[in-house]
């Protein structure tokens, strides 16, 4: 009945062989909440290193995937290639890709479909800018981003949603528990209306944006917050406390 707590670590374009290995060693010897599902997303160069060194039970995610299985697509990686390499998850639609690399909703949806069809789990990111929030458009923006995916993907059992307000990412300005819970509840309402009541009950909705070991226990208590997608703090030992924050 309950949704399993989920914590993802998005390393973004950070780390080196040495530092990624240290983070993995730390995770391998840490005492982690057995009820938490943990996935780390290092840069693609370190995916295999991570998979080879990480203990069983912690999964590895790509930060991006392409929407074709193979072919002349320079610089891209397919779901099939990831799956074959033991990489079982991918992030899709992170705001840094939407904004900096100009990925639109249709491309995000197409990649999500390809990833699911290729057998991967997807951490599907959404979130509004400060301007959109101030214009009262948060729920509209987020549900429009998600609807593009719902138009192409009917089975949401392998999708985890990450709500990451852009103004909270890397800024130290975390959403208040009320702000986060309000959007998470609205996303769940939307799932019920536009996908299915089963998807509304079962889909994990993560919060991301300046999550630390200090703010995570309070956020984790909210009814519709089922875990976190952690950026900066996933590179630090405090990531372990965030993983354990649901049992704190
Ligand atoms: P920070 O935790 O560094 O704010 O990043 C959040 C994020 O973008 C995770 O995907």
């Amino acid at each position: 009945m309950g949704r399993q707590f989920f914590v993802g670590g998005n390393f973004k374009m950070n780390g080196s062989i040495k530092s990624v290995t240290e983070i993995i060693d730390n995770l391998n010897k840490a005492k982690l909440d057995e009820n938490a599902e943990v996935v780390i997303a290092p840069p693609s160069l370190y995916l295999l290193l991570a998979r080879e060194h990480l203990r069983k039970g912690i999964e590895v995610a790509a930060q991006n995937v392409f929407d074709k299985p193979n072919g002349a697509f320079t610089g891209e990686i397919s779901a099939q290639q990831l799956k074959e390499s033991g990489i079982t998850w991918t992030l899709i639609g992170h705001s840094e890709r939407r904004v900096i690399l100009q990925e639109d909703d249709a491309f995000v949806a197409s990649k999500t479909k390809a990833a699911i069809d290729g057998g991967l789990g997807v951490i599907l990111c959404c979130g509004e800018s400060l301007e959109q929030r101030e214009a009262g458009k948060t729920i509209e923006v987020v549900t429009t981003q998600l609807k593009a995916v719902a138009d192409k993907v009917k089975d949401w059992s392998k999708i985890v949603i990450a709500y990451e307000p852009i103004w909270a990412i890397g800024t130290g300005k975390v959403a208040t528990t009320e702000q986060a819970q309000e959007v998470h509840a609205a996303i769940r309402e939307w799932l019920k209306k536009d996908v299915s009541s089963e998807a509304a009950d079962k889909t994990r909705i993560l919060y991301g944006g300046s999550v630390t070991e200090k703010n995570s226990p309070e956020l984790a208590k909210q009814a519709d917050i089922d875990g976190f997608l952690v950026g900066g703090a996933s590179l630090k030992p405090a990531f372990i406390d965030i993983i354990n924050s649901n049992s704190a």
Side-chain angles (χ1 to χ4, degrees), residues 10 12 91 94 96 164 168-171 208-211 229-233:
N10 176 9
K12 310 192 179 184
L91 308 188
H94 193 282
E96 284 148 18
E164 303 200 297
I169 295 177
T171 57
S210 297
V211 173
L229 185 57
V230 185

Side-chain angles (χ1 to χ4, degrees), residues 8-174:
N10 176 9
F11 295 4
K12 310 192 179 184
M13 199 179 73
N14 290 302
S16 60
I17 292 175
K18 184 167 179 282
S19 70
V20 170
T21 306
E22 278 167 10
I23 293 168
I24 289 167
D25 285 345
N26 249 336
L27 283 169
N28 284 347
K29 50 179 201 259
K31 193 163 165 15
L32 303 179
D33 178 355
E34 287 170 13
N35 297 315
E37 187 168 358
V38 180
V39 176
I40 59 164
S44 53
L45 183 60
Y46 308 124
L47 288 170
L48 284 175
L49 169 85
R51 186 56 284 158
E52 275 165 23
H53 287 86
L54 255 184
R55 75 187 198 203
K56 266 212 180 101
I58 304 178
E59 295 296 311
V60 181
Q63 294 177 12
N64 183 34
V65 69
F66 199 53
D67 65 349
K68 307 281 187 301
N70 53 58
F73 304 107
T74 303
E76 296 298 326
I77 300 181
S78 72
Q80 288 71 9
Q81 291 170 325
L82 292 168
K83 186 83 199 288
E84 193 222 358
S85 306
I87 312 305
T88 50
W89 287 85
T90 184
L91 308 188
I92 296 183
H94 193 282
S95 61
E96 284 148 18
R97 298 202 61 87
R98 290 179 188 265
V99 174
I100 304 166
L101 291 137
Q102 296 173 13
E103 293 189 359
D104 62 13
D105 289 351
F107 191 35
V108 167
S110 177
K111 295 204 287 187
T112 304
K113 180 167 181 1
I116 303 279
D117 290 350
L120 300 180
V122 172
I123 302 171
L124 174 63
C125 306
C126 60
E128 82 289 2
S129 66
L130 186 58
E131 230 185 349
Q132 290 164 329
R133 171 160 285 265
E134 285 173 348
K137 292 193 169 148
T138 299
I139 308 297
E140 182 191 328
V141 168
V142 167
T143 54
T144 302
Q145 290 171 339
L146 297 174
K147 188 176 182 313
V149 174
D151 287 344
K152 286 208 170 91
V153 177
K154 299 301 159 204
D155 177 9
W156 281 58
S157 63
K158 294 189 77 188
I159 298 180
V160 170
I161 296 171
Y163 167 60
E164 303 200 297
I166 296 173
W167 48 271
I169 295 177
T171 57
K173 203 173 156 192
V174 66

Side-chain angles (χ1 to χ4, degrees), residues 180-243:
Q181 166 58 27
E182 185 194 8
V183 180
H184 284 229
I187 292 173
R188 211 174 289 294
E189 258 320 294
W190 171 83
L191 280 168
K192 193 169 176 184
K193 199 165 58 64
D194 271 40
V195 183
S196 65
S197 25
E198 194 189 3
D201 283 345
K202 294 193 173 158
T203 305
R204 270 85 58 89
I205 307 176
L206 318 180
Y207 169 78
S210 297
V211 173
T212 66
E213 76 285 10
K214 297 201 173 62
N215 56 38
S216 60
E218 207 45 46
L219 286 160
K221 284 190 194 128
Q222 304 304 305
D224 292 294
I225 299 182
D226 306 310
F228 303 110
L229 185 57
V230 185
S234 69
L235 303 164
K236 300 179 189 160
F239 186 48
I240 288 157
D241 300 320
I242 298 173
I243 292 169

